[in-house]
Amino acid sequence: MDVVEVLKKAYQDELLDALRAERAAEGVPYPHLKALLLEVAKRERTHAEALAEALHRRKVPIPPTPRVEEAGWEAMLRLLSEEGFDRAYYLESTFPDPELEALFTRLGQEESLNQEAVRKVVALLGGGL
């Protein structure tokens, strides 16, 4: 697959996950759990910014902001699923460019933090959103 296409898709995925985390946080009545989701959203936005910078260095326009369709519990469960997929994808991807390789390794490691945070929120809420 073309590196630019991988970066564009990853950018949109990260931004979408940030929006999902923010949307899920809106429905959480407990401040400490809401804070966990907002921390996930912040990390996802940082990931999107790093990917946007990689696109910028390649003189590629930034893709449009995706639309999040899910809300509440549905957004949280989708986010949990996506975090696991993203982690595996980033850690299994290889690039001839050492800079991209390092970026994807870092993103994969941070997706583990996101996955664990969302898993904790889901477990503590127990479907009560």
Side-chain angles (χ1 to χ4, degrees):
M1 184 183 262
D2 177 27
V3 169
V4 168
E5 290 307 311
V6 168
L7 290 172
K8 287 165 64 173
K9 181 180 180 331
Y11 168 80
Q12 287 196 302
D13 287 348
E14 292 299 316
L15 200 49
L16 186 56
D17 287 346
L19 295 169
R20 279 188 185 115
E22 291 163 355
R23 178 82 57 91
E26 290 171 4
V28 174
Y30 307 107
H32 64 290
L33 298 181
K34 183 179 287 218
L36 280 174
L37 290 172
L38 293 176
E39 186 62 33
V40 168
K42 182 179 174 184
R43 264 193 300 270
E44 296 291 17
R45 285 191 177 276
T46 300
H47 293 173
E49 290 167 10
L51 292 159
E53 181 58 34
L55 286 165
H56 181 73
R57 281 193 302 277
R58 288 163 177 77
K59 312 275 192 261
V60 176
I62 303 305
T65 300
R67 291 178 39 97
V68 64
E69 303 295 330
E70 309 89 1
W73 194 246
E74 185 183 358
M76 186 132 23
L77 293 177
R78 182 67 184 264
L79 182 62
L80 181 60
S81 168
E82 291 296 319
E83 292 305 298
F85 175 76
D86 291 348
R87 181 182 66 77
Y89 177 74
Y90 288 134
L91 292 176
E92 292 171 4
S93 295
T94 57
F95 296 97
D97 179 339
E99 183 181 314
L100 280 182
E101 187 74 27
L103 173 62
F104 270 51
T105 298
R106 179 177 63 84
L107 295 181
Q109 291 166 345
E110 291 178 5
E111 292 298 336
S112 294
L113 298 174
N114 290 347
Q115 185 180 24
E116 198 49 47
V118 176
R119 184 179 288 132
K120 181 176 182 178
V121 172
V122 167
L124 291 172
L125 287 175
L129 256 185

